[in-house]
């Protein structure tokens, strides 16, 4: 709920996460190219948004991207 503002003062982005966005990393919902491959959260002028994105399997993430990982409720996580 206290995510930093991400749009004000930044140029529009294309083919990369917007400034301040937090990308939700999970398995694709399906292989259909018409369905978003993932989602990101961002704050624009104080309003929180959940947006879908499309990308290819060979997309390279930027080093400054913020990521959060989603696991199915039945997944076992080991360190």
């Amino acid at each position: 709920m206290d995510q930093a503002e991400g749009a004000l003062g930044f140029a529009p982005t294309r083919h990369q996460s917007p400034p301040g966005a937090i990308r939700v990393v999970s398995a694709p919902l399906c292989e259909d190219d018409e369905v978003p491959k993932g989602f990101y959260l961002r704050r624009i002028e104080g309003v929180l948004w959940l947006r879908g994105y499309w990308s290819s399997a060979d997309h390279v993430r930027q080093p400054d991207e913020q990521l959060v990982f989603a696991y199915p409720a039945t997944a076992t996580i080991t360190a």
Side-chain angles (χ1 to χ4, degrees), residues 47-68:
V47 178
L48 297 171
W49 293 79
L50 173 65
R51 300 287 310 260
Y53 68 85
W54 286 262
S55 68
S56 63
D58 62 348
H59 175 76
V60 177
R61 310 257 184 262
Q62 298 298 314
D64 61 346
E65 286 186 79
Q66 295 182 59
L67 306 174
V68 63

Side-chain angles (χ1 to χ4, degrees), residues 1-70:
M1 297 303 294
D2 61 352
Q3 183 178 359
E5 183 67 39
L8 299 177
F10 292 98
T13 58
R14 189 173 171 100
H15 305 297
Q16 65 184 27
S17 293
I22 300 172
R23 186 180 300 253
V24 179
V25 179
S26 66
L29 299 174
C30 71
E31 298 302 319
D32 184 345
D33 287 339
E34 299 299 317
V35 176
K37 298 303 173 205
F39 301 90
Y40 62 85
L41 308 163
R42 66 187 295 202
R43 179 183 294 269
I44 303 172
E45 296 181 5
V47 178
L48 297 171
W49 293 79
L50 173 65
R51 300 287 310 260
Y53 68 85
W54 286 262
S55 68
S56 63
D58 62 348
H59 175 76
V60 177
R61 310 257 184 262
Q62 298 298 314
D64 61 346
E65 286 186 79
Q66 295 182 59
L67 306 174
V68 63
F69 293 85

